């Protein structure tokens, strides 16, 4: 089983739509969780962290279910500028490196918002 | 602040040639990372340096070496390039090696083709 699995996509949605991305992770010792956004031919950038109680940032809502090892991202009122690939990312303590943590990335889900 | 910078942006090598990818950050971060990103594979960790003076292998270290030259700089060397190393290489940095809340900041990437 892959460590971090995401919906394969692509998601093609009209402007104004609500879209949800799902992600599951296999390592129950995972400490923290993130959604990164990656525009075409650009570097990944942090979109938001995901907290146990769920958190919201404007049109974006992230949810975490530790029991099911499941993370979600909801985007409301989609904009053309939301078109990108969304990466589910899990932070796991490394086996070595004196307490260092490593990020494990999902393969990403591509979103295209259509006029 | 420039953030994380990488050189070169593009490179074409012939099989067997060597080269060094350079990375520098001006955010006074402790940890630095090298990833490669291939279509359908997502981001995979090659090597990381939790703090100045230390380096550790990631998921796919074979064929690469790294040097943490100082706190700012972390280089990746391909001693004998192979076509399988054709990829986009991202350098990243983060503040606190022992923290589970470990936002990573990425450089713009180096697109490497090995013929």
């Amino acid at each position: 089983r892959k460590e971090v699995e995401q919906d394969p996509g692509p998601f093609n949605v009209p402007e104004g739509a609500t879209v949800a991305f799902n992600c599951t992770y296999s390592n129950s010792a995972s400490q923290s969780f993130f959604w990164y956004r990656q525009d075409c031919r650009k570097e990944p950038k942090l979109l938001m962290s995901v907290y146990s109680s769920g958190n919201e940032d404007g049109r974006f809502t992230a949810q975490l279910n530790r029991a099911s090892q499941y993370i979600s991202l909801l985007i409301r009122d989609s904009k053309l500028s939301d078109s990108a690939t969304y990466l589910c990312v899990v932070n796991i303590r490394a086996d070595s490196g004196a307490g260092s943590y490593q990020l494990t990335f999902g393969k990403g889900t591509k979103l295209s918002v259509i006029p | 602040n420039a953030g994380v910078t990488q050189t070169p942006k593009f490179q074409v090598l012939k099989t067997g040639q060597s080269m060094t990818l350079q990375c520098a950050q001006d955010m006074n971060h402790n940890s630095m990372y090298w990833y490669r990103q291939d279509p359908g594979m997502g981001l995979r960790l090659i090597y990381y340096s939790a703090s100045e003076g230390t380096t550790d292998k990631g998921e796919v270290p074979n064929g690469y070496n790294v040097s943490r030259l100082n706190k700012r700089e972390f280089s990746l060397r391909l001693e004998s390039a192979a076509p399988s190393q054709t990829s986009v290489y991202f350098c990243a940095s983060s503040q606190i090696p022992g923290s589970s809340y470990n936002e990573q900041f990425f450089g713009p990437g180096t697109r490497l083709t090995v013929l």
Side-chain angles (χ1 to χ4, degrees):
Chain A
R1 180 181 174 185
K2 299 254 187 266
E3 291 199 49
V4 180
E5 293 199 66
Q6 296 185 239
D7 287 345
F11 285 58
N12 299 312
V13 303
E15 274 188 287
T18 295
V19 60
F21 302 137
N22 302 315
C23 171
T24 56
Y25 60 95
S26 60
N27 190 331
S28 59
S30 300
Q31 298 288 323
S32 52
F33 311 89
F34 309 90
W35 285 100
Y36 276 68
R37 168 190 170 132
Q38 186 172 24
D39 292 297
C40 188
R41 301 180 71 82
K42 298 287 189 181
E43 71 272 23
K45 292 183 179 178
L46 180 67
L47 176 66
M48 59 195 303
S49 301
V50 186
Y51 302 118
S52 296
S53 55
N55 48 299
E56 189 173 306
D57 183 3
R59 298 181 292 108
F60 298 84
T61 300
Q63 296 278 351
L64 168 64
N65 184 324
R66 283 188 185 269
S68 302
Q69 296 181 201
Y70 172 92
I71 307 159
S72 66
L73 177 68
L74 184 76
I75 305 175
R76 292 181 299 279
D77 188 23
S78 299
K79 312 291 185 191
L80 295 175
S81 57
D82 294 333
S83 296
T85 297
Y86 291 82
L87 307 174
C88 178
V89 185
V90 173
N91 205 5
I92 302 170
R93 183 186 286 274
D95 290 336
S96 60
S100 65
Y101 286 79
Q102 292 181 18
L103 296 184
T104 300
F105 289 78
K107 294 180 181 179
T109 303
K110 186 175 181 180
L111 171 67
S112 294
V113 181
I114 303 162
Chain B
N1 286 354
V4 181
T5 57
Q6 292 183 235
T7 55
K9 286 188 167 49
F10 302 92
Q11 184 70 49
V12 178
L13 292 177
K14 294 181 180 177
T15 297
Q17 287 186 314
S18 62
M19 78 161 296
T20 300
L21 281 64
Q22 306 287 354
C23 174
Q25 53 91 8
D26 62 1
M27 296 175 283
N28 201 34
H29 284 173
N30 290 297
S31 301
M32 298 185 74
Y33 310 82
W34 277 105
Y35 294 90
R36 60 178 289 174
Q37 187 173 35
D38 303 294
M41 295 296 294
L43 278 153
R44 292 182 293 169
L45 183 66
I46 304 171
Y47 270 93
Y48 67 101
S49 172
S51 58
E52 188 178 356
T54 69
T55 60
D56 284 287
K57 294 178 180 179
E59 182 185 353
V60 288
N62 291 346
Y64 305 95
N65 285 300
V66 291
S67 295
R68 183 75 183 264
L69 304 169
N70 47 54
K71 191 172 184 179
R72 290 187 63 248
E73 297 172 290
F74 189 38
S75 63
L76 179 72
R77 182 159 179 85
L78 286 70
E79 290 292 350
S80 179
S84 61
Q85 294 179 304
T86 293
S87 188
V88 180
Y89 291 85
F90 288 104
C91 177
S93 70
S94 65
Q95 175 65 21
I96 305 170
S99 170
S100 63
Y101 288 90
N102 192 23
E103 178 183 357
Q104 292 185 11
F105 296 83
F106 286 80
T110 294
R111 295 183 180 278
L112 175 67
T113 301
V114 183
L115 302 175

